[in-house]
Amino acid sequence: MACWDIVGKVCGQPVSNLLGGRFRDRVESFYYVARSDPAEVAAEGALAMKSGFTTCYLKVGAGEPSADIERVESLRDGAGPDARLRIDANEAWSPGEAVRIIRDLQRFDLELIEQPVSGRVLDEMAYVRSRIDVPLLANEASWTRHDQLAVIRAGAADVLSVDNQMDGGLLNLKRSAGICEAAGLTVVKHSLGELGVALAAAVQVIASTPNFRYANQAYGALLSEDVTVGFGGGVDSYVDGCVRVPEEPGLGVRLDPEHVERYAELNRTDGAAFAFHDPNALSASHALPKR
Ligand SMILES: [Mg+2]
């Protein structure tokens, strides 16, 4: 990311121009409904739509299917009929469970179902995909370009997640999208919870790449602020669920030194408590061991 930023600044061009030119001026993000209680899910869905977002994202699969169905129904009630509802089971279900649960959930008009079954067994993804009427989004099955090619060959997904932080940076994000484009498939940028610098970097790629057709993952709307000035963090950084593609040279964002120092200090003191560092939290699926 830093090298792309330097080259862009030396050339006086935003990175999107170095990667083929700008296809879009805004990049859309989903709204992560990070709630479990059905009433709170409904309220958060309503807030997302009121804030201009079009796509609500909800995790399912951590509890009983009946509880998930109640939560998705609450989200539809709260977000209203125009919202796009995307649900992510993080590999929680067996193939049979997945087919039964997704068929039941179809009445709520889902946009995408993300990784309903293990990402390691592509035959099972293809089986589920052939028996449901909701487009299937691969995530745990598609971390790298090699994984993405295997998903395409197996006919295991309708849409693929791509992630520059999991597979070698911005040029590989572009390559990932290109592999999927050649198969006639669209992609969604996955997020590991980046701040404004990494978000801007990915946005430069997305701006120059046509087949990012769905709202992408970003967690900025859940942040109160960011390390960048006027970009990324906080719901006010989004207009109609979109961030603007920076036009300034390089990645096009400026750091706020005070915020950088404050969050660097927090990372030093509290960083070990972050959930992604806890192996028990990472393998919390009720149905399948993750490793
Ligand atoms: Mg996911």
Side-chain angles (χ1 to χ4, degrees), residues 75 101 103 113 131 156 160 163 233 277:
L75 182 57
I101 296 167
R103 281 182 173 173
I113 169 69
R131 282 161 177 77
L160 283 83
D163 187 323
H277 298 163

Side-chain angles (χ1 to χ4, degrees), residues 54-96:
T54 66
T55 305
C56 293
Y57 170 90
L58 183 71
K59 297 277 193 192
V60 293
E64 290 301 314
S66 58
D68 283 336
I69 290 164
E70 185 185 2
R71 294 169 66 243
V72 174
E73 183 169 20
S74 298
L75 182 57
R76 175 55 77 197
D77 286 346
D82 296 333
R84 299 191 186 103
L85 305 189
R86 186 181 309 175
I87 62 172
D88 185 357
N90 285 104
E91 308 179 291
W93 299 322
S94 71

Side-chain angles (χ1 to χ4, degrees), residues 35-187:
R35 296 285 186 276
S36 56
D37 176 73
E40 292 181 10
V41 166
E44 196 75 6
L47 176 65
M49 298 304 284
K50 192 174 160 216
S51 305
F53 288 83
T54 66
T55 305
C56 293
Y57 170 90
L58 183 71
K59 297 277 193 192
V60 293
E64 290 301 314
S66 58
D68 283 336
I69 290 164
E70 185 185 2
R71 294 169 66 243
V72 174
E73 183 169 20
S74 298
L75 182 57
R76 175 55 77 197
D77 286 346
D82 296 333
R84 299 191 186 103
L85 305 189
R86 186 181 309 175
I87 62 172
D88 185 357
N90 285 104
E91 308 179 291
W93 299 322
S94 71
E97 269 184 312
V99 171
R100 285 192 294 277
I101 296 167
I102 296 164
R103 281 182 173 173
D104 199 356
L105 289 172
Q106 282 171 186
R107 61 196 150 109
F108 302 117
D109 188 20
L110 302 180
E111 176 209 45
L112 296 170
I113 169 69
E114 184 169 331
Q115 203 64 57
V117 294
S118 171
R120 295 181 180 179
V121 190
L122 300 183
D123 290 352
E124 293 182 354
M125 287 176 65
Y127 166 88
V128 171
R129 181 182 168 231
S130 73
R131 282 161 177 77
I132 59 176
D133 287 327
V134 180
L136 195 154
L137 169 60
N139 177 189
E140 281 87 343
S142 66
W143 288 130
T144 70
R145 286 155 293 142
H146 311 287
D147 298 335
Q148 289 145 19
L149 188 57
V151 168
I152 291 166
R153 284 180 165 147
D158 299 278
V159 186
L160 283 83
S161 294
V162 291
D163 187 323
N164 50 299
Q165 291 174 300
M166 294 296 277
D167 191 22
L170 302 188
L171 201 52
N172 278 351
L173 184 62
K174 185 95 177 164
R175 288 189 179 111
S176 287
I179 289 167
C180 299
E181 183 188 59
L185 298 176
T186 52
V187 293

